[in-house]
Amino acid sequence: MNKRQLSAAVRFHGHLGPWLVLGLRAGSYARRRFRCSPFEITAIVHCPRTPPVRCILDGIQLSAGCTYGKGNISHRLSNRSCLIRFRHRRQLLELLVRPEIFQVLSQISPAATTTAACRLSRLPLHRLFIVKPKPENTV
């Protein structure tokens, strides 16, 4: 994730936070994995209904192109985790925020959000999400 992408996300969302970064990472991965346009992908996001976790939705909208206007993103209530289901044609990709990441971010202080967001932007995807189905090129 580069600084230009983060700057655009901050302009749209209003600030840099870890849940925004997780959404950006998830949506970018899904688009690369499916190699599709924003009109060919859908996202269903299972997460709490309140910020800051719900900020993941803005990151997904920006990076995957799934938007409320097009109707290809929806939110379902889940209080204990954050699961994103992407679909492209008959393909399904699930990204579950790792429980340890969810736990840490649920307890983070507002003063530490920018630092946490920067760290998450540099971590490998497999340290952030449990991916199903697993990519073909992993051991």
Side-chain angles (χ1 to χ4, degrees):
M1 173 165 298
N2 64 46
K3 288 183 181 185
R4 187 176 49 86
Q5 290 169 313
L6 284 176
S7 293
V10 169
R11 279 193 306 276
F12 174 78
H13 184 67
H15 70 101
L16 180 60
W19 291 102
L20 176 68
V21 169
L22 286 175
L24 291 167
R25 299 288 306 274
S28 294
Y29 178 73
R31 285 284 304 279
R32 281 192 316 273
R33 181 91 178 261
F34 291 146
R35 294 185 179 128
C36 65
S37 84
F39 294 94
E40 300 174 305
I41 187 172
T42 61
I44 300 173
V45 183
H46 301 259
C47 71
R49 86 168 32 120
T50 58
V53 181
R54 189 178 160 108
C55 297
I56 201 168
L57 292 161
D58 282 355
I60 292 167
Q61 288 184 90
L62 285 165
S63 59
C66 299
T67 65
Y68 284 101
K70 287 196 302 283
N72 59 345
I73 189 170
S74 61
H75 174 251
R76 301 287 185 330
L77 181 61
S78 171
N79 289 323
R80 295 197 174 116
S81 67
C82 188
L83 171 70
I84 307 150
R85 287 193 173 110
F86 291 103
R87 282 195 187 278
H88 170 62
R89 297 186 180 137
R90 293 182 175 212
Q91 297 175 35
L92 175 66
L93 172 65
E94 292 185 346
L95 298 175
L96 175 67
V97 173
R98 289 194 168 275
E100 60 272 22
I101 297 289
F102 188 89
Q103 174 103 20
V104 167
L105 294 182
S106 296
Q107 299 171 3
I108 198 166
S109 72
T113 59
T114 301
T115 302
C118 291
R119 284 188 185 145
L120 294 179
S121 73
R122 294 186 302 266
L123 283 176
L125 193 86
H126 72 274
R127 299 260 318 270
L128 304 174
F129 300 100
I130 298 169
V131 180
K132 295 180 184 179
K134 291 191 181 219
E136 298 83 30
N137 60 355
T138 61
V139 178

